[in-house]
Amino acid sequence: MKKFEEKTIHSERLYEGKVINLKVDDVTLPNGKQSKRELIEHPGAVAVIALTGDKKIIMVEQYRKALERSLVEIPAGKLEPGEAPEYTAMRELEEETGYSADKLEKVISFSTSPGFADEVVHVFFASGLHRAENGAVTDEDEFVELLEVTVEEAQGLIENERIFDAKTAYAVQWVKNYLSDKN
């Protein structure tokens, strides 16, 4: 057994949804005792750090029902079955913002909430931005407003909690470091 591993002895799927599945696992703990784990299965997601030629970060504002308010975020979206993260990143950038990129580079992948969810977000840096032929083409249940903000403006959005998610806060810090390395 791996260090601290919890061995699954029974798993029950309670819910299958469009975005997530919910299951409860009965596990044996490293000390031999048993416990339950409530787990969310998620197909994974991408997020795109898109920087314009005048050093503005492309973001979108949208309503997030889980928090009952609008947030400002970098473009992001869920992986579809069989879709490569790079493809999803380009698709989401174009759908949400109306921009395409000449180049896409992987920045990092990370777990969002490892205590109860298996979601992994793959973050990409998009450069060589240009307006896509079709403009933004959001899903029918998706309502977003395009924003272009400087690093300083983004830091203000973090301070007043309009940027409130980890991927976007990470992106702002990444852009700050990226731009300071360029100077």
Side-chain angles (χ1 to χ4, degrees):
M1 191 178 252
K2 297 176 198 160
K3 187 175 183 180
F4 305 124
E5 182 178 9
E6 298 177 355
K7 191 82 171 162
T8 302
I9 52 179
H10 179 261
S11 186
E12 181 181 0
R13 170 94 31 93
L14 301 177
Y15 173 79
E16 284 191 35
K18 182 178 160 186
V19 177
I20 63 161
N21 299 325
L22 173 62
K23 70 178 184 174
V24 175
D25 284 0
D26 294 320
V27 299
T28 301
L29 302 172
N31 65 2
K33 294 184 180 183
Q34 291 186 2
S35 190
K36 288 192 180 294
R37 298 291 184 249
E38 298 170 354
L39 304 169
I40 293 173
E41 299 171 318
H42 187 280
V46 300
V48 182
I49 302 169
L51 199 59
T52 66
D54 58 349
K55 299 181 174 101
K56 290 189 176 177
I57 307 166
I58 302 292
M59 296 195 178
V60 293
E61 183 172 1
Q62 60 188 321
Y63 190 78
R64 293 303 195 180
K65 183 64 178 159
L67 297 178
E68 297 287 357
R69 65 188 179 108
S70 291
L71 297 180
V72 175
E73 304 175 48
I74 59 173
K78 149 177 107 64
L79 290 167
E80 296 299 334
E83 210 173 52
E86 297 80 4
Y87 178 85
T88 306
M90 284 293 231
R91 177 178 54 77
E92 287 293 337
L93 177 64
E94 190 168 322
E95 285 178 3
E96 290 190 1
T97 71
Y99 278 96
S100 286
D102 291 333
K103 188 175 180 185
L104 198 63
E105 300 171 64
K106 176 110 180 248
V107 174
I108 194 168
S109 295
F110 55 80
S111 173
T112 57
S113 299
F116 63 88
D118 66 357
E119 179 187 29
V120 172
V121 175
H122 307 279
V123 181
F124 293 89
F125 174 57
S127 58
L129 298 182
H130 48 87
R131 288 287 186 177
E133 287 182 26
N134 299 333
V137 184
T138 56
D139 296 333
E140 66 180 31
D141 64 346
E142 187 175 41
F143 303 90
V144 301
E145 182 179 322
L146 180 67
L147 303 168
E148 297 182 12
V149 300
T150 65
V151 170
E152 294 75 20
E153 291 167 334
Q155 288 176 310
L157 293 169
I158 291 170
E159 288 169 15
N160 68 26
E161 297 184 353
R162 289 191 59 216
I163 291 176
F164 197 65
D165 67 295
K167 73 183 181 313
T168 305
Y170 173 87
V172 171
Q173 186 61 49
W174 187 90
V175 170
K176 184 177 177 183
N177 292 342
Y178 174 82
L179 292 176
S180 71
D181 288 348
K182 294 281 183 195
N183 291 331

